[in-house]
Amino acid sequence: MRISVFGCGYLGAVHAAAMASLGHEVVGIDPDAAKIALLSSGRTPFFEPGLPELLTAGLARGRLRFTTDPSEAAAADVHFVGVGTPQRKDGTGADLTYVDQAIADLLPYLRHGALVVGKSTVPVGTAARLAKIVGAVGARLAWNPEFLREGYAVKDTIEPDRLVYGLDAATAEQDAALLDEVYASAIAHDTPRIVTDYATSELVKVAANSFLATKISFINAMAEIAEVVGGDVTQLADALGHDTRIGRRFLNAGVGFGGGCLPKDIRAFAARAEELGRGDSVAFLKQVDEINLRRRQHMVDRVVDSFGGIVHGRRVAVLGLAFKPFSDDVRDSPALDIAVRLNGLGAEVMSHDPEAIPNSRRLHPQLTYTEDLDEALEGAEAVVLVTEWNVYRGLDPVATAAKVARPVIFDGRNVLDPPAWRAAGWTCTGMGR
Ligand SMILES: NC(=O)c1ccc[n+]([C@@H]2O[C@H](COP(=O)([O-])OP(=O)(O)OC[C@H]3O[C@@H](n4cnc5c(N)ncnc54)[C@H](O)[C@@H]3O)[C@@H](O)[C@H]2O)c1
């Protein structure tokens, strides 16, 4: 099929390359000329495992190209819209400027009978509004939320765990058939497929992210209690997780969630619910957000306390900047935030991350960064592990002790084995244990 993808960020670039790998003919469109130049030459503007290979293969086969020119979408039968929906600068709702602009850019080139497929995460009600706009030129709209996880985006796009089609009832059969053709490979592998209305499809995405955020904040709330009573939240989570109704995943206490999705999605959902007169229904999301943000300050307080209340002038190694491993995404990252807060208190912060230094430096040039883990550790008076990269999980307590000036480590992700670190002379503090 001939496909266009508007937006070539974390979602769109992967989607475009994945669709090409499935045999479709794809054009990726984005106004960011630097991004388009990189992608066109087979280089990725961000770190995503497996994407470079997919990109190179698609370009080499001539099935994939990238452009800043929306008119090149004209030949496509299906147009995906995967542009950003960040938090508004003047509030907590979603900023739909980019979605509206992408639709406006596409509109002059939209053929009668073409299908526009929204993938961005949007407030419920957006699809119904956009359907009228594209309907005016005889095109149709579907909403097909994306559930990919950064770090696993290629696999999640090619082999999604479910497909959700939000469709107009009047043309549902025809539109579902077209989407089935796009996703023929996933359909052939019996991927669960939910065909529904626009509103439900929009809700599925924000509800899923709200649930995941709530699960993380729930265990972090338990961590706060466990710390007061001298319990261990990791054992608590293990015990809870054996109940299959609860499950162990997303029950890891730590410095909390971040990234370009969960924080802004729960805020936008709460804001949209207020507009709908149902603010009370998801009022708990505000607490979920508050618990989450408290974790960052809690970590900072612990580090400061370890220096007797003044961190000014002390060498602190911050291990991790990305919001999670296998990503270079630092949007709303707890790890970067903790580095910034410690730096703001006058600590001599040395930040390390295997992938996220360039993005961090763009946002916070005032921080000191090193790509050399040994250099980060050398002479540190406190080590703060805030992104659970394997390279940190695998640190040897004995060898690491020889590098630092003071063997004090804070495990913000509860991934170290405290007895092993203590045996090597460390003061090792986890979160909620
Ligand atoms: N990143 C994820 O893991 C993920 C997962 C699921 C859903 N989503 C959702 O997908 C959407 C995109 O997220 P992202 O992380 O890829 O954001 P991103 O910021 O990485 O990418 C957005 C891209 O859209 C481009 N853009 C802006 N205006 C445009 C226009 N008029 N035409 C074409 N392109 C335009 C930007 O230049 C940018 O490259 C958001 O709604 C997000 O919530 C993201």
Side-chain angles (χ1 to χ4, degrees), residues 7 9-11 30-31 35 83 85 105 121 146 150 261 264 331:
Y10 286 93
L11 184 160
D30 197 298
K35 207 173 260 188
V83 301
T85 49
D105 292 348
T121 304
E146 178 57 59
E150 285 175 24
C261 291
K264 61 115 175 139
R331 290 178 287 185

Side-chain angles (χ1 to χ4, degrees), residues 329-347:
D329 195 345
V330 296
R331 290 178 287 185
D332 218 331
S333 167
L336 179 57
D337 193 14
I338 286 165
V340 168
R341 289 182 197 215
L342 286 167
N343 180 70
L345 294 171

Side-chain angles (χ1 to χ4, degrees), residues 359-371:
N359 282 342
S360 304
R361 190 176 271 134
R362 262 192 291 280
L363 288 179
H364 293 288
Q366 78 279 17
L367 292 183
T368 307
Y369 302 98
T370 176
E371 282 166 16

Side-chain angles (χ1 to χ4, degrees), residues 108-153:
Y109 310 105
L110 207 45
R111 278 194 288 110
H112 194 274
L115 187 66
V116 178
V117 185
K119 289 209 82 67
S120 301
T121 304
V122 292
V124 58
T126 306
R129 177 171 67 78
L130 299 178
K132 291 201 184 100
I133 300 174
V134 307
V137 297
R140 303 188 309 275
L141 183 99
W143 215 263
N144 170 224
E146 178 57 59
F147 302 99
L148 69 82
R149 300 159 300 165
E150 285 175 24
Y152 306 91

